[in-house]
Amino acid sequence: MLKTRVIPCLQLIGEGLVKTIKFKNPSYIGDPINTVRIFNELEVDELCFLDIRASQENRQPPFEMLQQIANECFMPLSYGGGLKDFEAAKRIMSIGFEKLVINTQAWRQTDLITKLSGHFGAQAVVGSIDVKKNFLGKYQVYINDGVDKIDMDVVTWAKKLESAGAGEILLTSMDKDGTWSGFDVDLTKKVADAVTVPVIANGGAGSLAHISEVVKKGNASAVCLGSMVVYQQKGMGVLVNFPDKIKLASALA
């Protein structure tokens, strides 16, 4: 197992696996169940599934498919998308997922974070923050799959999520998502230095050097990979994969 967690972060729209670029133009990747089977063979340590349109489309998580994923998967699982209340979250955990990723509802009802943390433990609750720069270069936080901007600074919001009971922060750069251009290291460091809980950097990974940089310079405790684990290379076809673990360990050493 790697010292630094490197987590495939897989985007869903309902029951299909997709990949976006800057939160737009989702491209179909394939069947989530087959993808899980490949990651089982690759002995990945952890998987994250995010239904990116569930909140925007005001629908429940795809429970039946998530049950199939949990039945098939050998590694710890986290899920986010459409978790509007305690009962939906409880159902996800009863299916066999270990962590709940809360984004939109964390803003709409912050006490949900506290309730979930109190019941399942802080280690099971991940506060998710989506961030985009405005034309002046200022970081702004968005919810509802990048549609609605909230009136709070990213560092302030991260601290509030931590205080509410989130045991981790999933920090996604909307500008970097799907670009293969590297993580937003400055954003990651800004948030990681402000909170005591682990920060998971997400958005932009394109190489082992990018992973190393965001951990060593951005102080990320873990990283999520999207395009890197579902495509052969930038601009090439679908190929579910994972970086060579020896090379990955060397890059993170």
Side-chain angles (χ1 to χ4, degrees), residues 10-249:
L10 305 172
Q11 298 175 328
L12 300 168
I13 295 183
E15 297 190 359
L17 197 65
V18 301
K19 185 66 194 83
T20 55
I21 298 176
K22 297 185 177 182
F23 277 47
K24 298 177 181 178
N25 304 318
S27 297
Y28 180 71
I29 298 299
D31 174 59
I33 308 302
N34 288 334
T35 304
V36 166
R37 289 173 181 149
I38 295 170
F39 282 125
N40 280 339
E41 293 175 5
L42 293 169
E43 298 182 343
V44 173
D45 293 329
E46 187 176 342
L47 281 182
C48 176
F49 283 91
L50 302 176
D51 189 333
I52 59 175
R53 295 285 190 269
S55 291
Q56 195 180 120
E57 296 172 359
N58 194 31
R59 56 175 169 77
Q60 292 278 348
F63 291 113
E64 290 185 11
M65 191 203 66
L66 294 175
Q67 179 70 75
Q68 293 178 54
I69 288 173
N71 291 344
E72 197 71 43
C73 193
F74 297 157
M75 72 284 291
L77 289 164
S78 55
Y79 172 79
L83 296 173
K84 294 186 288 187
D85 52 46
F86 181 81
E87 290 307 314
K90 185 178 178 181
R91 186 172 174 185
I92 293 294
M93 295 294 276
S94 69
I95 282 171
F97 281 70
E98 282 82 9
K99 294 181 182 180
L100 304 159
V101 183
I102 313 293
N103 183 299
T104 302
Q105 293 307 315
W107 175 255
R108 292 178 177 170
Q109 44 173 336
T110 308
D111 62 337
L112 178 62
I113 295 278
T114 306
K115 190 173 183 180
L116 293 173
S117 182
H119 187 82
F120 297 111
Q123 82 290 338
V125 183
V126 182
S128 174
I129 308 177
D130 298 333
V131 184
K132 182 168 65 174
K133 284 184 178 179
N134 66 11
F135 67 97
L136 294 174
K138 180 183 177 182
Y139 291 117
Q140 296 182 312
V141 179
Y142 286 77
I143 59 170
N144 204 19
D145 192 36
V147 172
D148 300 322
K149 182 174 64 176
I150 68 171
D151 187 21
M152 189 171 291
D153 169 76
V154 59
V155 168
T156 304
W157 182 225
K159 287 181 176 179
K160 283 187 175 292
L161 288 172
E162 179 182 21
S163 297
E168 290 184 308
I169 301 294
L170 174 61
L171 183 65
T172 303
S173 167
M174 296 172 62
D175 299 307
K176 293 285 192 173
D177 171 55
T179 65
W180 298 75
S181 62
F183 295 93
D184 188 327
V185 176
D186 291 340
L187 169 65
T188 306
K189 188 176 190 306
K190 187 185 291 281
V191 174
D193 289 353
V195 297
T196 61
V197 296
V199 171
I200 308 166
N202 186 32
S207 68
L208 295 181
H210 292 155
I211 298 170
S212 175
E213 181 184 33
V214 80
V215 171
K216 295 177 180 178
K217 295 182 179 179
N219 296 337
S221 296
V223 297
C224 276
L225 307 182
S227 296
M228 265 186 81
V229 295
V230 296
Y231 291 118
Q232 298 176 51
Q233 292 180 32
K234 185 177 182 180
M236 297 182 69
V238 172
L239 177 66
V240 177
N241 70 98
F242 192 75
D244 179 89
K245 290 192 176 182
I246 294 175
K247 292 180 180 177
L248 191 52

